[in-house]
């Protein structure tokens, strides 16, 4: 794994505009960054990222089965009592899931270490599945990449296949919903909807704020149609504590991601996985946090934290890092500190995509700090033959 | 090759991007829950598909119906006289509900059904709800095989309702979104 400086495509901004990729620059800061790429060998991709992703995914789903049978685990994950039976039922019915992303610390040496599962509302999907793919094709055609370079990225094909597979299990009408004013989230659901339509599924979009409730407790769209299935790019745990949350269990609404994903998008899964698979090479030691001082060599993460918010890190050398955010009061876990490796002063975090149950690609976000936040930039990757790699390095 | 062979966009780009082999004609699906072949024909006007769907559902019912160790447990979920003894061919016998309907789904292109269909047995539980085996019971492809007899409800409820309020979700949203 190497970080390679490369020439940008002169017309990439025009290409982004053409395909509706509006958030390549966010608040005047670059988000899409193709001034460099990460080069991997095929062995690194297949043995160090793809195979462990598939294995961890299976371990995670097995853990759902254990959690739904345990009030104690539900309590540890801080699942509100009124939603527990509903979540368990959604698992017993195997309500269909679509996708998730695992975040790994990996630098080409030693096993990839799982930081967390983003199994409810993963973003950075369009840039990984489409724009990164187009970058590779363009750079191959333009001779900027060695001939024969490839990419670990069948995310698009897997999404269309997944939608096709679950199509008949999706209640209609089927809507994709996200926060109205978030360009990034709207871009993500626009892409998912595009893939669903390509799989032959008739579906629409809706702002999460526009969802209605009827007097008999069913969820409606702006035409007063009862929503059959809702893809919500909005955290389940936030829905649980909002005004309409209490209606969810008895509304008949199908959700994607389904309710059981609340058990996996929860950092509490990390100590449970560690307990069940102590010493697994891709897992970091983790435990539920009882409060108190954070010892050296540990990271404290809230059960529900996104975009690297409210993380406290106490490095082996005594340095302490801390991020602010909205998740101040909830329960936390501790995870052994395994800092990202710097490449030319940048810290890449590997997002490994699982569509259906298949590990099908990666996207890399790079930050200038050890804690990857929403300031991170998306940097593309390529699979480059080792021998050629040495020539161009 | 570890990457997709194409990366098409249908809706997000002004003109369809990188789309060569497919046309853009509207496709959708038609789904129905029927209690008899006659009811199916009345709705779809396609007697051959309805008969095949019924036959396939009846065959699948033997393997995908929920399984109970005894008649009492089955009748507790599906009602009196609604269960029968079955045998899995390896001398294990169990009880399962009788198939009370079948589910048919067909892809439509330009309003006409395309070749092929999906069908599944449907069972009515004692509270009047309809269920069929979960799609996840089919293994292979992008999903791993799940439990073969997981059941999913069929949404046969009326599908319009007057909205009494909105904005009950979204309080925690902001312009940077919620993504992880």
């Amino acid at each position: 794994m190497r970080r390679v400086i490369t020439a940008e495509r002169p017309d990439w901004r025009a290409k982004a505009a053409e395909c509706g990729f509006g958030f390549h620059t966010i608040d005047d800061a670059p988000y899409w960054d193709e001034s460099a790429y990460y080069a991997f060998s095929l062995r690194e991709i297949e043995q160090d990222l793809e195979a462990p992703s598939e294995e961890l995914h299976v371990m995670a789903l097995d853990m759902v089965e254990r959690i739904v049978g345990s009030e104690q685990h539900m309590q540890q994950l801080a699942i509100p009592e009124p939603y527990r039976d509903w979540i368990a039922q959604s698992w017993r019915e195997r309500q269909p899931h679509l996708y998730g992303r695992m975040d790994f610390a990996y630098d080409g040496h030693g096993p990839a270490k799982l930081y967390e599962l983003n199994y409810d509302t993963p973003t950075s999907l369009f840039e990984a599945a489409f724009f990164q793919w187009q970058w590779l094709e363009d750079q191959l055609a333009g001779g900027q990449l060695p001939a024969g370079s490839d990419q670990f990225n069948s995310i698009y094909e897997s999404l269309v296949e997944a939608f096709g597979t679950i199509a008949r299990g999706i209640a209609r009408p089927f809507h994709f919903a996200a926060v109205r004013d978030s360009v990034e989230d709207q871009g993500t659901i626009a892409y998912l909807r595009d893939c669903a339509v390509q799989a032959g599924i008739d579906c629409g979009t809706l702002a999460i704020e526009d969802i209605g409730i009827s007097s008999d407790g069913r969820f409606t769209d702006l035409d007063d149609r009862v929503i059959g299935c809702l893809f919500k790019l909005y955290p389940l745990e936030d829905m649980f504590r909002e005004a309409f949350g209490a209606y969810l269990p008895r509304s008949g609404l199908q959700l994607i991601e389904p309710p059981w994903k609340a058990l996996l998008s929860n950092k509490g899964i990390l100590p449970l996985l560690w307990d069940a698979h102590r010493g697994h090479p891709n897992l970091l030691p983790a435990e539920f946090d009882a409060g108190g001082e954070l010892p050296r060599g540990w990271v404290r993460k809230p059960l529900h934290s996104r975009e690297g918010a409210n993380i406290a890190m106490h490095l082996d050398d005594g340095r302490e890092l801390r991020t602010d955010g909205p998740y101040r009061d909830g329960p936390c876990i501790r995870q052994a500190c395994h800092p990202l490796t710097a490449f030319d002063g940048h810290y890449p975090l590997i997002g490994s995509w699982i569509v259906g149950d298949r590990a099908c690609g990666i996207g890399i976000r790079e930050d200038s700090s050890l804690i990857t936040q929403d300031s991170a930039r998306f940097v593309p990757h390529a699979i480059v033959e080792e021998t050629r790699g040495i020539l161009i390095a | 090759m570890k990457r997709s062979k194409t990366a098409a966009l249908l809706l997000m780009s002004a003109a369809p991007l990188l789309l060569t082999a497919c046309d853009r004609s509207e496709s959708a699906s038609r789904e129905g829950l029927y209690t008899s072949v006659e009811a199916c024909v009345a709705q779809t006007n396609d007697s051959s598909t309805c008969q095949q769907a019924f036959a396939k559902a009846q065959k699948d019912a033997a393997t995908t119906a929920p399984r109970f160790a005894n008649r009492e447990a089955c009748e507790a979920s599906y009602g009196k006289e609604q269960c029968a003894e079955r045998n899995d061919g390896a001398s294990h016998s169990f009880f399962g509900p009788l198939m009370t309907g079948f589910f048919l789904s067909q892809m439509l292109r330009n309003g006409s059904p395309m070749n092929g269909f999906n069908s599944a047995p449907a069972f009515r539980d004692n509270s009047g709800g309809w269920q069929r085996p979960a799609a996840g019971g089919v293994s292979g492809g992008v999903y791993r095989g799940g439990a073969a007899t997981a059941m999913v409800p069929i949404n046969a409820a009326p599908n319009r309702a007057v909205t009494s309020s909105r904005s009950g979700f979204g309080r925690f949203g902001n312009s940077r979104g919620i993504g992880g």
Side-chain angles (χ1 to χ4, degrees):
Chain A
M1 175 181 174
R2 295 170 298 122
R3 189 179 194 275
V4 183
I5 305 291
T6 189
E8 296 185 8
R9 293 168 294 166
D11 59 347
W12 74 260
R13 284 179 181 77
K15 288 207 152 129
E18 192 185 334
C19 65
F21 183 22
F23 52 98
H24 58 74
T25 305
I26 300 175
D27 298 335
D28 296 326
Y31 169 60
W32 172 262
D33 183 354
E34 60 177 69
S35 64
Y37 68 91
Y38 283 88
F40 293 86
S41 68
L42 186 59
R43 190 199 60 79
E44 287 171 333
I45 291 291
E46 292 190 331
Q47 293 181 22
D48 294 350
L49 294 170
E50 183 179 16
S53 296
E54 298 243 347
E55 185 186 354
L56 291 172
H57 176 75
V58 172
M59 286 157 52
L61 293 199
D62 287 349
M63 190 54 70
V64 173
E65 180 75 28
R66 294 200 211 181
I67 297 169
V68 297
S70 160
E71 275 298 307
Q72 187 207 342
H73 287 341
M74 288 277 197
Q75 190 70 39
Q76 287 174 308
L77 299 189
I79 303 296
E81 206 283 326
Y83 299 99
R84 291 180 188 172
D85 288 346
W86 176 63
I87 287 170
Q89 184 64 21
S90 78
W91 173 250
R92 282 193 287 271
E93 291 172 1
R94 295 297 188 278
Q95 288 181 13
H97 62 291
L98 181 65
Y99 77 145
R101 196 193 72 225
M102 296 177 185
D103 285 343
F104 286 114
Y106 178 70
D107 62 5
H109 304 281
K113 297 290 189 184
L114 179 71
Y115 269 13
E116 60 188 55
L117 302 175
N118 294 284
Y119 264 39
D120 182 23
T121 61
T123 55
S124 78
L125 178 70
F126 173 78
E127 43 278 41
F130 183 86
F131 209 61
Q132 170 176 244
W133 185 92
Q134 193 182 33
W135 168 85
L136 185 97
E137 294 292 328
D138 287 347
Q139 298 295 54
L140 272 174
Q144 293 288 336
L145 284 170
S149 295
D150 198 358
Q151 193 172 74
F152 181 32
N153 180 12
S154 63
I155 303 169
Y156 160 75
E157 285 177 348
S158 300
L159 281 171
V160 175
E161 185 184 338
F163 275 122
T165 308
I166 63 175
R168 70 191 178 113
I170 296 176
R172 313 295 160 86
F174 177 34
H175 288 305
F176 288 85
V179 171
R180 188 196 320 276
D181 292 331
S182 168
V183 178
E184 196 176 348
D185 293 355
Q186 289 292 334
T188 301
I189 63 165
Y191 183 61
L192 284 166
R193 182 183 174 222
D194 201 300
C195 292
V197 169
Q198 291 184 46
I201 299 175
D202 188 28
C203 50
T205 58
L206 185 70
I208 201 95
E209 295 90 338
D210 283 340
I211 294 169
I213 193 83
S214 66
S215 56
D216 61 351
R218 292 186 290 164
F219 289 102
T220 56
D221 66 15
L222 287 171
D223 295 325
D224 278 3
R225 288 187 302 164
V226 174
I227 302 169
C229 180
L230 184 74
F231 177 96
K232 34 110 252 101
L233 193 65
Y234 193 78
L236 283 163
E237 72 270 13
D238 285 344
M239 299 178 91
F240 293 170
R241 59 199 177 118
E242 289 199 74
F244 285 179
Y247 295 103
L248 282 168
R250 278 169 296 281
S251 66
L253 177 69
Q254 181 187 6
L255 290 178
I256 296 178
E257 298 301 318
W260 56 264
K261 284 290 193 96
L263 308 176
L264 296 178
S265 65
N266 182 309
K267 306 277 189 306
I269 192 72
L270 297 167
L272 295 181
L273 281 174
W274 178 252
D275 272 352
H277 305 276
R278 204 166 273 267
H280 189 285
N282 300 110
L283 293 176
L284 291 167
E287 57 192 48
F288 287 96
D289 183 63
E293 196 180 325
L294 185 66
R296 280 190 188 196
W298 288 86
V299 180
R300 179 181 284 138
K301 301 176 172 184
L303 291 188
H304 298 120
S305 155
R306 283 169 166 76
E307 302 279 8
N310 300 92
I311 306 288
M313 186 180 280
H314 197 167
L315 294 161
D316 285 330
D317 63 13
R319 273 187 297 154
E320 293 189 66
L321 302 175
R322 202 172 288 274
T323 56
D324 202 3
Y327 306 98
R328 275 181 292 274
D329 302 325
C332 295
I333 62 127
R334 286 176 188 180
Q335 188 180 49
C337 189
H338 180 88
L340 297 171
T341 302
F343 288 73
D344 306 333
H346 306 282
Y347 296 96
L349 179 71
I350 314 266
S352 178
W353 288 97
I354 310 291
V355 173
D357 300 313
R358 176 192 294 158
C360 60
I362 58 170
I364 298 169
R365 285 173 311 142
E366 230 187 39
D367 214 326
S368 52
S369 104
L370 278 174
I371 303 175
T372 310
Q373 295 180 268
D374 59 10
S375 50
R377 288 161 294 105
F378 191 101
V379 180
H381 83 276
I383 304 171
V384 179
E385 288 301 320
E386 298 276 16
T387 47
R388 291 173 186 273
I390 290 162
L391 287 175
I392 62 160
Chain B
M1 194 162 86
K2 303 291 286 182
R3 68 182 189 278
S4 302
K5 288 172 195 68
T6 63
L9 289 179
L10 264 185
L11 306 175
M12 287 186 79
S13 91
L17 265 180
L18 303 172
L19 196 65
T20 51
C22 305
D23 64 28
R24 288 194 68 195
S25 51
E26 286 295 306
S27 54
S29 67
R30 176 170 71 191
E31 298 182 340
L33 169 67
Y34 308 105
T35 51
S36 67
V37 172
E38 291 70 31
C40 175
V41 176
Q43 176 96 55
T44 64
N45 211 16
D46 184 347
S47 146
S48 152
T49 297
C50 288
Q51 279 168 9
Q52 289 175 48
F54 175 80
K56 178 172 179 297
Q58 206 168 34
K59 183 163 156 285
D60 290 349
T63 51
T64 58
R67 297 181 178 195
F68 296 89
N70 54 60
R71 184 181 298 274
E72 292 69 35
C74 181
E75 290 190 342
S77 295
Y78 291 90
K80 275 236 166 307
E81 313 287 316
Q82 292 303 309
C83 294
E85 187 167 4
R86 292 209 167 98
N87 192 295
D88 67 0
S91 75
H92 300 293
S93 72
F94 54 92
F95 288 83
L98 297 167
M99 178 174 121
T100 41
F102 64 103
F103 179 81
L104 167 65
S105 132
Q106 285 174 286
M107 301 300 289
L108 301 178
R109 190 165 286 270
N110 296 325
S112 304
M114 297 165 68
N115 285 336
F117 62 87
N118 280 312
S119 73
F123 306 95
R124 195 164 135 178
D125 66 26
N126 60 2
S127 58
W130 289 85
Q131 304 166 334
R132 62 185 175 80
V138 182
S139 65
V142 73
Y143 289 98
R144 288 194 304 147
T149 55
M151 301 296 284
V152 296
I154 297 172
N155 189 358
N159 64 353
R160 287 188 83 84
V162 176
T163 300
S164 57
S165 77
R166 297 196 191 275
S167 305
F169 290 130
R171 187 156 62 90
F172 301 106
N174 65 50
S175 64
R176 257 330 287 271
I178 49 64

